[in-house]
Amino acid sequence: MDDTATEILEATYRALSRHGYADLTIEDIAAEADRSTASIHYYFDDKETLFIEFLEYLSDRYTDRLASIDDDDTDGARQRLLALLAVVLDDDAEATGREFRTAMLEVIAQAPYNEAIRDRMVTFDEVLFERVHAIVSTGVETGEFDDAVDPDLAAEFLVSATTGAFTRQVTIDEPPQQSMETVTGYVDARLLPDESENL
Amino acid sequence: MDDTATEILEATYRALSRHGYADLTIEDIAAEADRSTASIHYYFDDKETLFIEFLEYLSDRYTDRLASIDDDDTDGARQRLLALLAVVLDDDAEATGREFRTAMLEVIAQAPYNEAIRDRMVTFDEVLFERVHAIVSTGVETGEFDDAVDPDLAAEFLVSATTGAFTRQVTIDEPPQQSMETVTGYVDARLLPDESENL
């Protein structure tokens, strides 16, 4: 993908955060990209095509960010796991974090009605599950996590809790910090061995 | 509220499940209620008013159902807690369960844009939190749950995990049975005292 197409996708991110999904138009994206709508149409046939490309772009970026944390093995498993969940729950790197999450929940809610969106959501879910699972498994192997922890169950539970905390941030305005406290509480009380709990 | 108004709200439930939220019209509700649109307008000024009344009706019904489980103290805490979470995750009482959940996620995603919806979502969340918290606290007091369990943290976590499992049912088609297995796994591994784990 050339630079201009990438620029348009970055503008889509900002336009989505600003306008929400239901009301998003090619005009909004053109304004955000400081381009004509004709130049947007030169790269993407219609809004549907652009949006699917945008989800692909988001998915690649998300996968790269999760992978970069997983690979950074200078930190312990606990720290890597919390950094991973913070990508979903407390994304300080994005000034538009809250607006973006709000728009994304609208997109997510369209999954049952739109197969392309649904396929992307399955990928987002699988990527997060695999990363959580890998870190929990490594933590159990190295003894940083309790050896009674079942990585399948813990990963399933953490992905559901993270998805729920994301939903609650948007719908009941739960602060990102509270979401992180909740998942941190689980990791510390339930994954660390018992002797750590008593420190 | 008189019988006809209640009938209209019940028809709204079926119409919402069938058509989704974005496309729902007074005509759809009238057809489902087997009434004229004029008779709907006699009871509810417009779609907005009807929908807010509908959310109120759902909220009352939901609160009653959760309360009925909480009060049934012939069962143990584990069984009551799982019955409570099943109201959200595996609602066999409703033939339209999956369609209803799909439409409700659309409604939920509108919370940031609509204060009346947001207020209802806060209530749904608080009611679930309070019920989970009450059952976990009782379970800890009676010794059925481990005395190291922190009811605040466990309730926060279970509400997030349940909300997430609900979202995943709609967006990635997670089966209700799998959602229930995930929360059951948490309850059994994390709330029951250690000796029960080893049975």
Side-chain angles (χ1 to χ4, degrees):
Chain A
M1 186 169 292
D2 74 17
D3 288 353
T4 307
T6 304
E7 257 175 50
I8 293 169
L9 296 178
E10 284 164 2
T12 303
Y13 183 97
R14 298 190 301 273
L16 178 67
S17 299
R18 189 189 298 264
H19 301 283
Y21 176 67
D23 297 331
L24 188 67
T25 63
I26 291 280
E27 285 72 21
D28 296 329
I29 296 166
E32 202 68 56
D34 208 8
R35 298 189 159 269
S36 67
T37 56
S39 81
I40 308 283
H41 284 297
Y42 175 81
Y43 286 92
F44 302 100
D45 283 346
D46 50 29
K47 185 187 156 187
E48 172 82 7
T49 311
L50 168 52
F51 203 76
I52 296 307
E53 281 290 334
F54 172 68
L55 289 178
E56 196 82 36
Y57 158 81
L58 273 187
S59 176
D60 290 348
R61 207 171 65 156
Y62 181 71
T63 304
D64 288 349
R65 291 188 59 200
L66 296 187
S68 75
I69 288 164
D70 194 33
D71 291 344
D72 180 7
D73 60 5
T74 53
D75 298 320
R78 174 184 182 276
Q79 195 170 331
R80 280 185 292 147
L81 187 54
L82 294 178
L84 191 77
L85 300 177
V87 171
V88 183
L89 295 177
D90 189 18
D91 196 345
D92 284 336
E94 312 291 349
T96 52
R98 170 152 176 72
E99 289 69 26
F100 177 67
R101 284 190 283 268
T102 297
M104 276 308 286
L105 189 66
E106 273 188 275
V107 175
I108 286 169
Q110 292 305 309
Y113 306 108
N114 182 322
E115 201 179 333
I117 292 178
R118 188 182 166 281
D119 288 347
R120 278 296 125 220
M121 293 307 133
V122 170
T123 304
F124 279 115
D125 194 273
E126 284 173 352
V127 166
L128 183 62
F129 180 89
E130 280 162 21
R131 289 306 173 200
V132 170
H133 193 277
I135 296 176
V136 172
S137 298
T138 305
V140 171
E141 279 163 26
T142 61
E144 184 178 345
F145 291 156
D146 198 305
D147 60 10
V149 168
D150 173 347
D152 289 344
L153 185 58
E156 191 68 38
F157 206 74
L158 274 167
V159 170
S160 281
T162 303
T163 304
F166 177 96
T167 304
R168 293 173 85 206
Q169 284 186 13
V170 176
T171 55
I172 68 162
D173 222 2
E174 174 172 284
Q177 193 187 340
Q178 190 184 330
S179 303
M180 283 308 298
E181 278 171 19
T182 302
V183 296
T184 304
Y186 175 83
V187 170
D188 289 349
R190 306 307 172 193
L191 301 187
L192 297 184
D194 277 347
E195 52 270 31
S196 309
E197 272 186 88
N198 301 325
L199 285 180
Chain B
M1 188 168 291
D2 75 16
D3 288 355
T4 306
T6 304
E7 257 176 49
I8 293 169
L9 297 179
E10 284 165 1
T12 303
Y13 183 98
R14 299 191 299 275
L16 178 67
S17 300
R18 191 190 297 265
H19 301 284
Y21 177 67
D23 297 332
L24 187 67
T25 63
I26 291 281
E27 286 71 22
D28 296 330
I29 296 166
E32 202 68 55
D34 208 9
R35 297 188 160 269
S36 66
T37 55
S39 81
I40 307 283
H41 283 297
Y42 175 81
Y43 287 91
F44 303 99
D45 283 346
D46 50 29
K47 185 186 155 187
E48 173 82 3
T49 311
L50 169 52
F51 204 75
I52 296 307
E53 281 290 335
F54 172 68
L55 289 178
E56 196 81 35
Y57 158 81
L58 272 187
S59 176
D60 290 347
R61 206 170 66 157
Y62 180 72
T63 304
D64 288 348
R65 291 188 59 200
L66 296 188
S68 75
I69 288 164
D70 194 35
D71 291 344
D72 180 7
D73 60 4
T74 54
D75 298 321
R78 174 183 183 277
Q79 194 170 330
R80 280 185 291 146
L81 186 53
L82 295 178
L84 191 78
L85 300 177
V87 170
V88 183
L89 295 177
D90 188 18
D91 195 346
D92 285 335
E94 312 292 348
T96 52
R98 173 156 172 68
E99 289 70 27
F100 177 67
R101 283 190 285 268
T102 297
M104 275 308 286
L105 189 66
E106 272 188 275
V107 176
I108 286 169
Q110 292 306 309
Y113 305 108
N114 182 321
E115 199 179 335
I117 292 179
R118 188 182 165 282
D119 288 347
R120 279 295 125 220
M121 294 306 133
V122 169
T123 304
F124 279 115
D125 193 271
E126 285 174 350
V127 167
L128 183 62
F129 181 88
E130 280 162 22
R131 289 306 174 199
V132 170
H133 192 277
I135 296 177
V136 172
S137 297
T138 305
V140 171
E141 279 163 28
T142 62
E144 184 177 345
F145 291 156
D146 198 304
D147 61 10
V149 168
D150 174 346
D152 289 345
L153 184 59
E156 192 67 41
F157 208 74
L158 274 167
V159 171
S160 282
T162 303
T163 305
F166 177 96
T167 304
R168 294 173 85 204
Q169 284 186 13
V170 176
T171 55
I172 68 163
D173 221 0
E174 174 172 284
Q177 196 189 337
Q178 190 185 330
S179 303
M180 283 308 298
E181 278 171 18
T182 301
V183 295
T184 305
Y186 175 82
V187 171
D188 289 350
R190 307 307 172 195
L191 300 188
L192 297 184
D194 278 348
E195 50 271 29
S196 309
E197 272 187 88
N198 302 325
L199 285 179

